[in-house]
């Protein structure tokens, strides 16, 4: 009987320990560890080092970001940054949650429901969601006040239920208020001091400062961006190889998403563009529901997210493995423009200057081919209304408040993506109608020039032909190239 009672007590103790973990705490030897509702070095040691808040980004880097932002703000200003809201697909089904880039950049918190306040006097003050047993039962533990102190290293922290008492005092002492307009929350906008500051024109968009500090990436950020780009390249390569066997937009879209996630990406950076034939001339085509006809190009614009950092890559190729004369002529023009624009990427040159060079090259080339009648014709913008590229980082179009006239600096990542989009109805030689081509690379600006982060993904005509015809046994070049790309 004594042995039976002992076993029962042991079972009760084990069950109690399991429940203890579920409501937010775990024991590791003599350590008591908060379950913060996102990976930590204890819950996911394969992802995070002991000194990291998010994979690849150390606590000291987060603290440094906060100090930089405070230094940029006008004296006695207060910054208010809300987490991204949860968006609902139906009344009970939410869309997958993605944290706002500014909130993540400053706090490291991946969860919804929080408000971060930053100022010279208060440091980082985090208002965290109040504990809710029902939510915990359905969705698991979330970060609270204790996690804000112990894990996110906040200087002050309070439950959201106390914000209406505490934040108005902080606002009242501030000379100006800055907030993230894109995630602005009624929870603080309804407070009287915020209304008063708004009426006095003392409330501004914080993004002018957060974009400034996010524009140049740290070595830790660049390591994550290289890894994200590598995943995108490997995944698109595998999808290119599949396209000959399954030339269908939906299957190629599914394939590239699978390949990205199986390699560690948390999500796609955006819905993949998979445009076969004339669909490729629709710049942000998203239906991905057509079969790709034999002999047609497919344009795939894809990217993935790795621990908050994005990749963005486009390639265009004939799924049959063979370029016809018109395809090869037009593709060669876009490829040459891509390569020449990449050469211009270095400190001191602006995106606007690179764009102007690309326009001149494409206008001249399209006239020589016979698609444009006049290099200066406004019809060029019908065939390519896009810019040569954009900044890239935690958002696909990153730091949009940084002017494209600004000279590039080491640590900035941009895309170079010349293209041409010729509708089937366009008045051009028939062989060129219904063709869309874009060749996009990620480029890091370095002290001495640039580094192409997506260089491992083939774009040369001969390399594409070799890869797609590999299954036919047309030599060893394709096998060597495939191996090099897969392990790059």
């Amino acid at each position: 009987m004594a042995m039976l009672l002992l076993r029962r007590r042991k079972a009760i103790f084990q069950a109690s320990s399991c429940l203890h973990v579920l409501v937010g705490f775990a024991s590791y030897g003599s350590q008591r560890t908060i379950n913060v509702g996102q990976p930590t070095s204890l819950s996911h040691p394969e992802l995070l080092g002991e000194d990291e808040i998010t994979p690849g980004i150390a606590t000291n880097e987060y603290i440094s970001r906060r100090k930089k932002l405070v230094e940029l703000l006008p004296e006695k200003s207060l910054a208010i940054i809300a987490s991204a809201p949860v968006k609902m697909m139906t009344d009970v089904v939410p869309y997958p949650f993605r944290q706002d880039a500014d909130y993540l950049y400053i706090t490291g918190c991946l969860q919804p429901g929080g408000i971060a306040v930053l100022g010279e006097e208060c440091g980082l003050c985090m208002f965290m969601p109040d504990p809710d047993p029902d939510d915990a039962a359905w969705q698991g533990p979330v970060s609270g006040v204790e996690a804000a102190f112990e894990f996110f290293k906040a200087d002050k922290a309070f439950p959201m239920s106390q914000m209406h008492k505490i934040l108005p005092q902080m606002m009242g002492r501030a000379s100006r208020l800055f907030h993230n307009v894109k995630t602005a929350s009624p929870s603080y906008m309804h407070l009287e001091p915020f209304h008063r500051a708004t009426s006095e024109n003392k409330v501004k968009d914080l993004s002018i400062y957060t974009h400034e500090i996010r524009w140049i990436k740290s070595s830790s950020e660049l390591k994550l961006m290289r890894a994200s780009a590598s995943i995108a390249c490997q995944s698109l390569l595998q999808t290119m190889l599949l396209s000959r066997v399954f030339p269908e937009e939906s299957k190629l879209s599914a394939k590239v998403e699978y390949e990205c996630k199986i390699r560690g990406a948390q999500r796609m950076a955006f819905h993949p563009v998979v445009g076969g034939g004339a669909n490729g001339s629709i710049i942000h085509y998203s239906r991905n529901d057509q079969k790709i006809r034999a002999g047609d190009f497919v344009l795939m614009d894809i990217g993935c997210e790795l621990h908050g950092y994005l990749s963005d890559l486009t390639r265009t190729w004939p799924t049959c493995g063979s370029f016809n004369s018109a395809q090869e002529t037009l593709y060669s023009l876009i490829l040459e423009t891509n390569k020449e624009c990449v050469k211009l990427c270095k400190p001191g040159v602006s995106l606007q200057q690179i764009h102007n060079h690309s326009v001149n090259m494409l206008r001249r080339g399209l006239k020589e081919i016979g698609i444009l009648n006049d290099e200066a014709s406004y019809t060029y913008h019908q065939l390519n209304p896009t810019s040569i590229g954009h900044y890239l980082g935690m958002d696909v179009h990153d730091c949009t408040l940084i002017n494209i006239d600004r000279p590039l600096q080491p640590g900035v990542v941009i895309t170079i993506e010349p293209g041409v989009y010729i509708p089937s109805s366009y008045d051009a030689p028939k062989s060129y109608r219904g063709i869309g081509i874009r060749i996009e690379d990620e480029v890091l600006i370095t002290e001495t020039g640039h580094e192409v982060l997506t260089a491992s993904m083939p774009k040369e005509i001969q390399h594409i032909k070799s890869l797609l015809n590999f299954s036919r046994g047309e030599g060893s070049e394709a096998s060597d190239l495939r191996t090099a790309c897969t392990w790059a």
Side-chain angles (χ1 to χ4, degrees):
M1 178 64 74
M3 183 62 69
L4 181 59
L5 287 172
L6 182 63
R7 286 176 180 172
R8 285 180 178 174
R9 287 175 182 172
K10 184 176 181 182
I12 291 170
F13 173 79
Q14 289 174 337
S16 175
S17 298
C18 291
L19 182 61
H20 196 52
V21 171
L22 285 173
V23 298
F25 299 95
S27 296
Y28 295 84
S30 61
Q31 282 187 308
R32 176 172 171 271
T33 305
I34 305 170
N35 186 335
V36 299
Q38 67 186 61
T40 69
S41 60
L42 287 172
S43 66
H44 294 71
E46 72 282 4
L47 287 182
L48 291 92
E50 290 184 8
D51 63 338
E52 292 176 349
I53 292 181
T54 55
I57 307 295
T59 300
N60 287 342
E61 183 157 338
Y62 277 104
I63 293 172
S64 175
R65 292 171 177 182
R66 298 162 191 172
K67 289 180 179 178
K68 285 181 182 178
L69 182 54
V70 169
E71 289 169 0
L72 282 177
L73 292 172
E75 189 176 1
K76 295 184 178 178
S77 294
L78 197 69
I80 304 170
I81 314 169
S83 61
V86 175
K87 297 180 180 179
M88 301 302 292
M89 185 183 304
T90 72
D91 58 342
V92 295
V93 180
Y95 284 104
F97 179 76
R98 183 181 190 264
Q99 188 58 278
D100 172 71
D102 284 346
Y103 187 84
L104 176 58
Y105 187 84
I106 294 300
T107 67
C109 182
L110 294 167
Q111 299 156 76
I115 302 285
V117 179
L118 196 66
E120 188 175 0
E121 181 182 329
C122 65
L124 174 65
C125 176
M126 295 181 72
F127 292 95
M128 306 299 286
D130 289 81
D132 187 324
D134 287 339
D135 282 351
W138 285 92
Q139 300 174 24
V142 296
S143 298
V145 170
E146 192 169 0
F149 282 122
E150 295 193 22
F151 186 68
F152 300 115
K153 306 303 179 185
D155 300 294
K156 297 180 180 180
F158 304 93
M160 282 293 294
S161 59
Q162 297 297 310
M163 189 175 72
H164 70 285
K165 298 178 183 178
I166 297 165
L167 187 53
Q169 299 174 26
M170 301 169 75
M171 289 178 173
R173 293 191 295 270
S175 61
R176 295 183 192 177
L177 301 179
F178 292 86
H179 72 139
N180 189 339
V181 173
K182 290 183 179 178
T183 59
S185 170
S187 63
Y188 67 82
M189 293 178 72
H190 287 167
L191 297 175
E192 194 277 332
F194 190 91
H195 277 293
R196 185 172 63 249
T198 301
S199 66
E200 296 172 355
N201 198 29
K202 292 182 179 179
V203 177
K204 303 292 181 183
D205 189 356
L206 181 65
S207 299
I208 59 173
Y209 297 111
T210 54
H211 287 197
E212 193 69 41
I213 61 175
R214 283 171 44 198
W215 189 50
I216 297 175
K217 275 60 179 177
S218 69
S219 58
S220 299
E221 291 179 292
L222 291 176
K223 187 175 181 180
L224 288 169
M225 292 199 70
R226 286 188 181 96
S228 181
S230 177
I231 289 172
C233 288
Q234 294 176 46
S235 301
L236 189 55
L237 174 67
Q238 295 302 316
T239 306
M240 179 184 281
L241 295 171
L242 183 77
S243 67
R244 180 152 196 162
V245 183
F246 295 105
E248 298 178 44
E249 294 170 353
S250 61
K251 287 184 171 61
L252 301 185
S253 179
K255 172 68 171 177
V256 77
E257 183 168 354
Y258 164 80
E259 293 290 346
C260 284
K261 290 183 176 179
I262 205 71
R263 286 171 168 77
Q266 283 72 55
R267 60 177 65 86
M268 302 306 289
F270 48 87
H271 185 68
V273 174
V274 188
N279 292 335
S281 67
I282 302 170
I283 297 169
H284 283 168
Y285 174 78
S286 62
R287 283 175 50 184
N288 301 345
D289 62 1
Q290 298 288 315
K291 291 186 176 181
I292 302 165
R293 296 184 307 177
D296 277 354
F297 272 149
V298 61
L299 183 156
M300 285 196 66
D301 186 346
I302 66 104
C304 65
E305 179 174 340
L306 182 69
H307 306 309
Y309 290 85
L310 308 182
S311 48
D312 191 1
L313 167 68
T314 307
R315 291 293 186 265
T316 309
W317 68 91
T319 56
C320 67
S322 178
F323 291 73
N324 64 37
S325 177
Q327 289 173 335
E328 187 161 342
T329 298
L330 200 53
Y331 185 93
S332 296
L333 171 62
I334 304 303
L335 177 62
E336 186 64 21
T337 305
N338 169 280
K339 290 157 69 172
E340 288 301 312
C341 287
V342 167
K343 289 178 184 178
L344 295 176
C345 296
K346 60 183 178 182
V349 176
S350 70
L351 256 179
Q352 184 65 60
Q353 290 173 310
I354 300 171
H355 172 75
N356 293 342
H357 183 73
S358 72
V359 170
N360 291 334
M361 282 193 70
L362 290 173
R363 278 178 169 172
R364 184 169 59 250
L366 292 171
K367 182 185 177 185
E368 291 173 359
I369 291 171
I371 294 174
L372 283 180
N373 295 323
D374 181 357
E375 281 187 40
S377 172
Y378 78 95
T379 54
Y380 166 77
H381 294 285
Q382 293 179 271
L383 302 179
N384 185 10
T386 68
S387 173
I388 187 60
H390 52 81
Y391 305 124
L392 184 67
M394 297 181 80
D395 287 325
V396 179
H397 284 227
D398 204 42
C399 303
T400 54
L401 295 184
I402 303 291
N403 199 291
I404 61 172
D405 284 327
R406 183 182 292 195
L408 297 170
Q409 297 182 39
V412 173
V413 180
I414 62 175
T415 65
I416 294 296
E417 47 183 303
V420 64
Y421 314 95
I422 307 174
S424 300
S425 59
Y426 186 76
D427 184 16
K430 187 176 180 180
S431 57
Y432 294 112
R433 295 177 196 166
I435 292 180
I437 301 172
R438 180 162 64 251
I439 303 173
E440 178 182 18
D441 283 301
E442 292 179 36
V443 183
L444 163 66
I445 307 302
T446 66
E447 295 284 352
T448 57
H450 64 264
E451 175 188 344
V452 181
L453 303 184
T454 48
S456 65
M457 183 63 205
K459 60 185 177 183
E460 298 289 342
I461 289 175
Q462 189 52 51
H463 291 167
I464 292 171
K465 286 180 179 179
S466 296
L467 279 167
L468 290 171
N469 290 301
F470 171 67
S471 60
R472 291 181 172 180
E474 296 181 4
S476 61
E477 180 185 358
S479 178
D480 294 341
L481 182 61
R482 181 185 183 185
T483 301
C485 292
T486 301
W487 295 104

